[in-house]
Amino acid sequence: MEYLFPVILALIGIGMNTRFSPAARKVYLLVILSYMVILMGIRYRVGMDTIGYMKTFKESLPLDKIFTVKVFTQRHEPGYLLLCSICKLFSKEFWPVQLIMNLITCCGIFIFLYRNCRNVFMGIFLFLILQWLYFSTEIMRESAAIAIFLVNYRNMAEKRWVRYYLFSLLSISFHYSAILIWFLPLARFLKPNIFFFIFCIGILGITPLVEQFNKLLALGIISEKISIYVKEVDNVNMNWRISEMIKTGFPAILTFILYKYSHLKSRFQPFILLQIIFCCGAFAIPVIFQRFTNYTTLFVIAALANYLFLQYVNPILRITVIGIICLSQSIYYVSLYPAWYPYVSINNPITVQERENLYRKIWK
């Protein structure tokens, strides 16, 4: 029920959006935001990565010693390490870090959706279905970097390049994968032409040829940092590839088809096309490309939310699309539900054995 409550609030908001005054809409958004931040901020050992973060937090340095070591050689990025050190000033518990990281993530995403969605509550609903638990419990550092980038997106859209690239350093301080955002402005050159489709098919076609390359990456021969994200290359089999394509690629492909069918063009089309390329890349070389889709998925969410609230979209089509999107995530939730359910808070910090067993299996 804890996870369903913000979904219900978002659904109510979808129906009430046009009736809200601007002030009432912001207050209602703040209620949803506060609930999501607090719920995930006070969780206890919910999420596989969260358990790992709790272990490494014990080893984080106090603030007066953080600059005495080689920060850039540490496993985690300096922005996150600094936050951990600050939190250690007033608490030995990990939950303040969770709370602040979720505040950064949710605020950035809500600001982006508020700026770019016709009905912001539809955007929030789709985010809750597609990414909320993953962003909040599994990739805390990267999701904070993504949220900062989403706020920074306005500088990209308005071509204020100095501001954009300076602000991007804040994203990178939380996760080095955010270096990707330096190259995202190039997405504007992507077009849905024959070359795009040939390129995507080509990436998928080379999958059998790069298996050995995947193994080399996962074994850490090229980069130990990359190998952290895929512990066993055997886990990244064809079933994983197909399920990942359904989970991440299908919403982007469906959004592209809907706009094409309606003879419309979303201003986020370049990022939708880039999401499709990243998904094809994840199918062929998952060790590298799996993470890239995290940076473009919110653009897909905003574009889909906007399409669903075009005046001439049939309500039956709207409900059907939402149903299909929810169904596309079912395999993912079935496979990882022990990581998130049951919810446990710091107020009653019990250990869920099934979750601990899953953690040991994934991170062994």
Side-chain angles (χ1 to χ4, degrees):
M1 184 61 190
E2 294 91 350
Y3 300 135
L4 287 178
F5 188 62
V7 175
I8 293 170
L9 290 179
L11 289 172
I12 294 172
I14 290 171
M16 294 291 294
N17 185 56
T18 56
R19 302 179 186 179
F20 281 137
S21 67
R25 185 180 295 108
K26 290 179 181 178
V27 170
Y28 194 71
L29 282 169
L30 185 60
V31 170
I32 301 175
L33 173 67
S34 300
Y35 179 86
M36 291 169 61
V37 170
I38 294 172
L39 182 73
M40 289 304 176
I42 64 170
R43 71 186 187 276
Y44 178 76
R45 300 181 77 82
V46 176
M48 297 297 94
D49 282 7
T50 295
I51 297 174
Y53 280 127
M54 292 177 72
K55 290 184 176 181
T56 57
F57 177 72
K58 297 176 182 178
E59 304 167 3
S60 59
L61 295 173
L63 188 60
D64 60 341
K65 295 182 180 179
I66 189 172
F67 298 109
T68 63
V69 298
K70 297 179 180 179
V71 175
F72 294 100
T73 65
Q74 301 300 300
R75 177 177 177 180
H76 293 150
E77 292 76 6
Y80 176 75
L81 292 175
L82 179 60
L83 176 61
C84 288
S85 296
I86 292 172
C87 289
K88 269 199 165 183
L89 289 175
F90 56 85
S91 176
K92 294 182 180 179
E93 301 295 326
F94 182 66
W95 69 264
V97 178
Q98 292 181 157
L99 189 68
I100 296 171
M101 292 295 283
N102 272 278
L103 181 64
I104 295 170
T105 298
C106 289
C107 283
I109 290 171
F110 270 54
I111 290 170
F112 174 78
L113 294 175
Y114 183 80
R115 288 174 175 174
N116 295 286
C117 291
R118 288 187 178 91
N119 187 323
V120 61
F121 299 104
M122 176 56 76
I124 293 170
F125 171 77
L126 292 174
F127 169 68
L128 288 166
I129 297 299
L130 293 173
Q131 298 293 352
W132 178 41
L133 294 181
Y134 177 59
F135 272 38
S136 298
T137 68
E138 302 299 342
I139 57 167
M140 288 198 316
R141 289 157 34 238
E142 189 171 31
S143 61
I146 293 166
I148 295 167
F149 158 63
L150 292 173
V151 176
N152 193 18
Y153 167 72
R154 176 176 283 183
N155 289 323
M156 181 203 294
E158 297 178 1
K159 298 183 179 181
R160 297 185 298 216
W161 299 119
V162 174
R163 291 185 187 181
Y164 176 73
Y165 283 103
L166 286 176
F167 204 54
S168 71
L169 298 177
L170 186 57
S171 288
I172 296 169
S173 74
F174 279 96
H175 205 277
Y176 293 138
S177 68
I179 290 174
L180 175 69
I181 69 180
W182 286 354
F183 306 98
L184 289 185
L186 298 175
R188 67 183 185 274
F189 297 112
L190 290 175
K191 306 294 181 184
N193 51 32
I194 187 65
F195 299 105
F196 170 80
F197 293 109
I198 291 174
F199 183 68
C200 291
I201 293 170
I203 294 175
L204 295 174
I206 66 171
T207 301
L209 304 177
V210 294
E211 284 303 306
Q212 190 60 36
F213 182 61
N214 278 314
K215 291 179 181 179
L216 291 176
L217 285 175
L219 290 173
I221 293 176
I222 293 179
S223 171
E224 292 182 4
K225 187 72 174 179
I226 292 175
S227 70
I228 291 172
Y229 302 124
V230 179
K231 301 301 172 295
E232 297 179 33
V233 72
D234 291 337
N235 288 338
V236 189
N237 54 26
M238 189 55 66
N239 289 335
W240 182 92
R241 287 181 165 99
I242 293 173
S243 63
E244 183 67 16
M245 179 62 80
I246 293 172
K247 172 187 174 291
T248 311
F250 181 77
I253 294 170
L254 178 62
T255 302
F256 173 76
I257 291 173
L258 288 171
Y259 274 94
K260 201 70 175 176
Y261 172 77
S262 301
H263 304 289
L264 297 171
K265 181 180 178 181
S266 169
R267 69 180 185 276
F268 297 132
Q269 177 177 279
F271 296 102
I272 298 172
L273 297 178
L274 189 58
Q275 175 86 342
I276 295 171
I277 290 175
F278 285 161
C279 289
C280 293
F283 193 91
I285 313 176
V287 182
I288 293 179
F289 286 95
Q290 178 197 3
R291 312 285 294 198
F292 291 176
T293 59
N294 296 332
Y295 287 87
T296 48
T297 187
L298 264 297
F299 294 98
V300 175
I301 288 173
L304 182 58
N306 286 337
Y307 179 85
L308 292 174
F309 273 87
L310 293 172
Q311 289 184 349
Y312 54 79
V313 172
N314 190 298
I316 296 177
L317 175 60
R318 187 177 299 159
I319 294 171
T320 301
V321 169
I322 293 173
I324 293 173
I325 289 294
C326 292
L327 188 62
S328 70
Q329 306 302 301
S330 58
I331 297 174
Y332 178 66
Y333 282 116
V334 168
S335 63
L336 275 180
Y337 85 91
W340 304 317
Y341 183 84
Y343 173 81
V344 179
S345 79
I346 59 173
N347 297 318
N348 184 26
I350 62 173
T351 300
V352 180
Q353 194 57 48
E354 185 178 7
R355 185 172 298 152
E356 302 299 318
N357 294 339
L358 181 62
Y359 172 79
R360 284 192 289 269
K361 179 180 178 182
I362 293 176
W363 290 91
K364 64 183 179 181

